[in-house]
Amino acid sequence: MSGDLRDLYQEVIFDHYKRPRNCGALDAATHRAEGHNPLCGDQVTIDLKVDDGIVKDVRFEGAGCAIATASASLMTEALKGRRVDEVEALFRRFHDLVTAEHEQDDAGLGKLEVLAGVREFPARVKCATLAWHTLNAALRNRPEPVSTE
Ligand code: ZN
């Protein structure tokens, strides 16, 4: 990855950390789950409104490090209007992106690819995937909070 691209990625992450999108509770949520990453102290709640198999709205609440917050914010932007089965495929691709040993040329993940750099920092992978694991639990209506440990 070129230095310029890396700088751009860091700018996007910082922007989403400072001004998180879709932050706050969602009225009339149909799905909700809480997630916790004890290693870093990140905590997130994901609220979803699913109607007819489509994610109509998604919001998150919580406190976390820059990576956890930016990842949750970017995730909410990526999900709106998607079918639930698309969301699961997206999660698998995102998980591959942040854990793969080699850079992929084009993972087809759009803006989410700014988080690819965390693969160099294994502890940060949990920060980047916390919102996604929590989302998964919300979609499955799991009552117990999610933990990355
Ligand atoms: Zn973190």
Side-chain angles (χ1 to χ4, degrees):
M1 197 187 290
S2 75
D4 285 353
L5 193 56
R6 199 174 290 259
D7 287 350
L8 173 69
Y9 282 9
Q10 261 159 18
E11 231 170 80
V12 174
I13 290 168
F14 191 70
D15 179 51
H16 275 263
Y17 173 50
K18 285 289 163 198
R19 296 188 303 118
R21 321 298 199 266
N22 305 304
C23 193
L26 183 63
D27 291 335
T30 55
H31 300 67
R32 157 176 283 208
E34 284 172 41
H36 183 34
N37 173 17
L39 205 68
C40 178
D42 309 313
Q43 245 167 328
V44 70
T45 302
I46 305 288
D47 280 355
L48 282 165
K49 186 167 189 269
V50 178
D51 185 23
D52 215 10
I54 309 265
V55 177
K56 297 284 186 191
D57 207 356
V58 50
R59 296 179 74 86
F60 80 99
E61 280 187 294
C65 65
I67 297 293
T69 305
S71 180
S73 174
L74 285 158
M75 182 187 82
T76 59
E77 280 198 329
L79 293 185
K80 271 192 211 179
R82 298 247 190 193
R83 291 198 323 270
V84 169
D85 56 339
E86 279 183 300
V87 169
E88 286 172 1
L90 202 62
F91 177 35
R92 279 197 296 278
R93 289 216 302 277
F94 179 73
H95 197 267
D96 286 349
L97 175 80
V98 296
T99 56
E101 279 177 37
H102 305 288
E103 284 182 23
Q104 293 143 306
D105 286 342
D106 182 11
L109 286 166
K111 233 198 227 180
L112 294 171
E113 291 177 28
V114 300
L115 290 160
V118 303
R119 72 161 73 90
E120 289 164 38
F121 309 94
R124 293 279 149 191
V125 170
K126 290 181 177 176
C127 303
T129 55
L130 175 66
W132 288 88
H133 284 296
T134 309
L135 168 81
N136 230 8
L139 284 171
R140 285 170 172 71
N141 283 318
R142 288 207 200 110
E144 71 278 15
V146 178
S147 175
T148 54
E149 292 302 298

